[in-house]
């Protein structure tokens, strides 16, 4: 099984990434920092005569990683009660990629993915972060994908995630569940 994590933070080593690292500790995976990709904003051409056109940026790399993975972790800090702008930009481009004839089996492939979401925020995130989890869920439902698990961590300043014992224990348990899934798959 191939695993990829998309880190939507604007800084390396932030609380969201640290929590995601616990989820994937001692599990082979690929980590992609969305901030390091050049992804242009979507130009909505769904209803124009020519439709969407191929764009010369790094978004095709995102689609390739999704198509080549079995488990996908979307990890983002909670920015203004939503996902980070870089991650939102990536998600907006799904409107284009699911219609892109270069990826004829993308919608079917997305249905097969095991999806995990990790979010971290500092303003009562276990309550105020729930609409973000719901946003992810609605997006996944629209694409016929299923959300396998999610974790909401509480942290604000760098390194504070280590104080959130609940999120750390959930991350450790999720790590064990992923390892069990990998063992079953290998049998």
């Amino acid at each position: 099984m191939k695993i990829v994590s998309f880190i939507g933070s604007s800084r390396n080593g932030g609380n969201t990434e640290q929590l995601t690292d616990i989820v994937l500790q001692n599990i082979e995976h690929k980590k992609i920092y969305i901030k390091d990709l050049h992804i242009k904003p979507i130009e909505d051409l769904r209803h124009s005569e020519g439709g969407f056109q191929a764009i010369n940026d790094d978004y095709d790399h995102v689609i390739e990683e999704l198509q080549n993975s079995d488990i996908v972790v979307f990890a983002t800090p909670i920015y203004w009660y939503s996902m980070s702008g870089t991650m939102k930009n990536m998600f907006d481009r799904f409107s284009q990629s699911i219609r892109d004839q270069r990826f004829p089996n993308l919608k079917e492939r997305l249905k097969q993915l095991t999806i995990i979401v990790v979010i971290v925020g500092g303003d009562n995130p276990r309550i105020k972060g729930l609409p973000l989890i719901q946003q992810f869920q609605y997006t996944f439902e629209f694409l016929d994908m299923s959300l396998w698990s999610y974790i909401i961590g509480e942290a604000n300043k760098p390194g504070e995630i280590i104080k959130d014992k609940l999120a750390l224990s959930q991350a450790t348990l999720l790590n064990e569940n992923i390892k069990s899934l990998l063992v079953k798959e290998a049998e």
Side-chain angles (χ1 to χ4, degrees):
M1 289 188 112
K2 293 185 179 179
I3 301 172
V4 64
S5 63
F6 289 96
I7 307 298
S9 182
S10 62
R11 67 173 179 238
N12 290 347
N15 290 304
T16 305
E17 183 177 355
Q18 289 176 33
L19 188 57
T20 303
D21 287 346
I22 295 168
V23 170
L24 296 174
Q25 187 171 20
N26 298 319
I27 297 173
E28 185 178 332
H29 66 282
K30 184 171 188 174
K31 185 186 295 188
I32 297 174
Y33 295 93
I34 302 170
K35 71 176 184 59
D36 294 340
L37 300 176
H38 176 66
I39 300 175
K40 294 181 180 177
I42 190 166
E43 182 179 353
D44 189 354
L45 299 173
R46 288 175 295 164
H47 306 291
S48 66
E49 187 173 315
F52 288 110
Q53 304 298 313
I55 296 175
N56 186 19
D57 66 1
D58 295 331
Y59 193 72
D60 286 359
H61 177 67
V62 170
I63 299 304
E64 289 169 16
E65 290 298 334
L66 289 171
Q67 289 182 317
N68 293 325
S69 297
D70 302 294
I71 298 175
V72 178
V73 180
F74 294 107
T76 182
I78 303 171
Y79 286 165
W80 289 104
Y81 312 100
S82 187
M83 66 181 73
S84 67
T86 54
M87 183 166 279
K88 180 68 168 88
N89 195 36
M90 184 183 83
F91 268 85
D92 284 350
R93 288 284 294 280
F94 274 123
S95 293
Q96 180 174 352
S97 59
I98 61 174
R99 293 166 175 83
D100 194 325
Q101 295 190 10
R102 296 176 301 144
F103 310 115
N105 301 317
L106 179 60
K107 285 178 84 172
E108 287 304 312
R109 181 67 187 112
L110 292 175
K111 292 177 188 180
Q112 300 167 5
L113 298 176
T114 298
I115 303 294
I116 298 167
V117 172
V118 177
I119 64 173
V120 177
D123 182 16
N124 197 9
R126 289 192 178 82
I127 299 298
K128 295 179 179 179
L130 288 174
L132 175 53
I133 295 298
Q134 192 172 42
Q135 178 183 359
F136 276 110
Q137 181 64 34
Y138 290 154
T139 299
F140 300 146
E141 285 177 7
F142 182 82
L143 295 168
D144 290 322
M145 299 164 68
S146 62
L147 176 59
W148 188 54
S149 187
Y150 69 88
I151 297 176
I152 300 174
E154 183 168 3
N156 195 12
K157 295 178 184 175
E160 277 188 348
I161 194 63
I162 62 168
K163 296 178 184 176
D164 186 345
K165 301 303 180 195
L166 177 60
L168 295 178
S169 65
Q170 290 172 332
T172 300
L173 180 59
L174 184 52
N175 175 272
E176 292 169 8
N177 289 338
I178 294 169
K179 287 177 180 173
S180 295
L181 190 66
L182 295 173
V183 168
K184 288 179 186 176
E185 183 69 25
E187 295 176 345

